[in-house]
Every structure is written in structure tokens, then in C-alpha cells.
Amino acid sequence: MTFRTNSIGDTMVEVLIVMSVVAAVLAGAYVASNRNLRISQAVQERGESLKVAQGQLEALKAGPVPDPATQTTYFCIAKNNPKATVSENGSFSINNFSTYPSKCEISPQGGTAYYIAIQPNYNGISGTYAITSRWDSPAFPDQNEVKLVYRP
């Protein structure tokens, strides 16, 4: 009985095993990089939303603040005129993006649309305002929001 110790090529089984290992490693790298991309996109969107909400807060501080006793619906501060508020007399639903006035939709650099709503007398506390910035995220399918509470 003689054994060949000098085989010339790899067997087909060995090649298939190596290809399977390489495919598994590449698939794991793809999943990890895709997840990291989605997370970084979500962090960027949240940062943009916070900037938009802070801009509304600064405009609220600087401009004539609507009297919470008379302003009972949601409103926003017009992006083209920081001294003017925008409201839709009760048809402005904070949970339905299609009811937001177009002046309350802000898209920095033409990207994700952020919907702004300022709620007077937040949680029944007189004189407080809640600034909410909401957006639909392509990275994560649910609606996201940033909320700032302000008491002058």
C-alpha cells in the first residue's frame, strides 16, 4: 500500500469549504457595516432635528411670544419670518404629518423633512411651551421626535 504525499491540487470539497468560510465572513461584515450605517444616519437625523427645535426655541425667545391663554392650538414659527407664528385653528394634529402647515415643515439642505409643533401650556402647566420636532426616518421605520420644554 502506497500513499501519495505529493498531491498536485486541492479537492473540490476543500475549495467549497474555503468558499463557505469566506462567504460567511463577508456576510457578517456586510450586516455589521449596514447596521453601523443606519445608526450613524439616525444619529445625524436626531442632531439635525435638535438644531431645528433649538432654532424654534430661539425664535420663540426672541419674538413676540403668543399668549398661552389665547393660543390653544399647536403652532410653529414661520421659517421665513421669525416674528410670525403659524397655526391652523385646530386642524393641526401633532400625530398626523399631513395636517402640518407647509410653513412648519423644515428640510435642512433639502434632506429629511422635520415637522415642527409648539404646544402652549404643556402638560397643563401654565406658561410653558413644548417644542416638538418630528420626522420619518428612512433608517428606522417609525416616527421619531425631539421635544424641548421652555418656560419663559
Side-chain angles (χ1 to χ4, degrees):
M1 179 182 265
T2 58
F3 292 100
R4 296 173 75 192
T5 58
N6 213 4
S7 61
I8 294 174
D10 294 327
T11 65
M12 186 65 115
V13 173
E14 290 170 335
V15 171
L16 288 174
I17 290 172
V18 169
M19 287 177 62
S20 298
V21 169
V22 168
V25 168
L26 289 176
Y30 173 76
V31 167
S33 65
N34 191 27
R35 185 185 67 226
N36 287 341
L37 178 66
R38 287 181 42 183
I39 289 172
S40 68
Q41 182 180 0
V43 167
Q44 182 179 5
E45 289 171 354
R46 189 166 208 70
E48 285 291 328
S49 179
L50 185 57
K51 281 192 242 179
V52 167
Q54 286 173 335
Q56 290 283 301
L57 177 60
E58 292 302 319
L60 187 65
K61 286 179 180 179
V65 177
D67 182 12
T70 60
Q71 182 73 42
T72 57
T73 61
Y74 297 104
F75 67 97
C76 74
I77 298 172
K79 58 188 169 204
N80 56 355
N81 183 2
K83 299 290 184 190
T85 59
V86 177
S87 65
E88 293 290 314
N89 298 329
S91 63
F92 189 0
S93 170
I94 196 167
N95 295 316
N96 186 353
F97 288 166
S98 66
T99 65
Y100 278 69
S102 62
K103 292 180 182 174
C104 294
E105 178 184 325
I106 299 173
S107 300
Q109 291 106 25
T112 303
Y114 298 96
Y115 301 90
I116 304 300
I118 301 174
Q119 177 186 4
N121 299 321
Y122 179 65
N123 280 346
I125 301 170
S126 180
T128 59
Y129 296 89
I131 298 104
T132 304
S133 174
R134 289 185 165 189
W135 72 99
D136 275 328
S137 174
F140 295 96
D142 49 337
Q143 291 181 357
N144 298 283
E145 76 175 23
V146 168
K147 186 175 285 195
L148 302 175
V149 177
Y150 169 62
R151 184 170 192 171

